[in-house]
Amino acid sequence: MADDSMQCRKPENPAKAFLKRYRALAVQRDSLQRSIDAAWERATSRTARAKPIHVTGGGGVYDRMAEDVARISDETEQLRAAKERAEMALAQIMDAIQAVPDETQKAVLLLRYVEGLDWDSVSRRIGYEERQTFILHGRALWTVHQWMLKSVQ
């Protein structure tokens, strides 16, 4: 009797792993946009609540508001760059799906990986039995894998 933890697992299909990233990337993109919006709100609320600084001695004036706005601006640029990377990855996944010539296979990929539906729901939506849906999925994955190989070159 073999121990379950010692069983060799078949490596995941690279096309499937590539497509499965879509949902997590979409969540990241949306989270980054909320962070950008919050940073913008902090920056604009800082200037609205600014109070005049009274200088009572020699030397330079410490401008906390300017420092905060500069820090928030830097933070926002980092968030925007991360969001742009997530959007580029999402676009690449959509390009791979769009490269599938068969519209039903394409629908299977969109329903499964973009919408995140379970297999029963995918089958019902496209009007096929689950077994046929799996066959369509396998063929679509093969096409995506071929697309991936060509896009690397």
Side-chain angles (χ1 to χ4, degrees):
M1 180 180 228
D3 182 8
D4 285 340
S5 63
M6 299 299 288
Q7 289 181 349
C8 293
R9 296 194 77 197
K10 181 178 167 184
E12 187 171 30
N13 179 319
K16 188 184 229 182
F18 175 73
L19 295 169
K20 284 171 79 172
R21 297 172 48 226
Y22 189 91
R23 303 281 296 171
L25 286 165
V27 168
Q28 284 178 29
R29 179 205 53 211
D30 296 345
S31 175
L32 289 163
Q33 183 59 55
R34 286 190 299 276
S35 296
I36 291 166
D37 294 343
W40 177 253
E41 181 62 33
R42 283 193 312 277
T44 56
S45 70
R46 287 265 192 248
T47 56
R49 292 183 296 181
K51 296 179 184 167
I53 299 173
H54 297 288
V55 180
T56 58
V61 175
Y62 176 71
D63 191 348
R64 180 178 171 137
M65 183 176 70
E67 182 180 287
D68 286 349
V69 171
R71 182 181 45 75
I72 290 168
S73 177
D74 290 344
E75 173 188 336
T76 302
E77 283 309 308
Q78 290 175 343
L79 292 168
R80 282 194 178 119
K83 181 184 173 204
E84 186 176 318
R85 286 190 300 273
E87 287 174 337
M88 287 173 51
L90 287 166
Q92 189 178 35
I93 292 169
M94 288 305 295
D95 287 347
I97 292 171
Q98 293 304 316
V100 175
D102 183 278
E103 294 301 322
T104 307
Q105 292 175 13
K106 194 181 300 184
V108 169
L109 296 180
L110 289 168
L111 292 169
R112 180 69 177 166
Y113 298 105
V114 175
E115 291 190 33
L117 298 180
D118 61 42
W119 286 114
D120 185 51
S121 299
V122 171
S123 296
R124 277 188 277 121
R125 291 278 295 272
I126 64 169
Y128 284 79
E129 291 187 18
E130 199 168 86
R131 177 174 146 75
Q132 185 62 27
T133 302
F134 290 147
I135 292 168
L136 291 166
H137 178 253
R139 290 177 181 160
L141 286 179
W142 184 85
T143 303
V144 168
H145 184 73
Q146 297 305 307
W147 177 90
M148 290 170 64
L149 293 173
K150 287 178 187 173
S151 68
V152 171
Q153 296 174 355

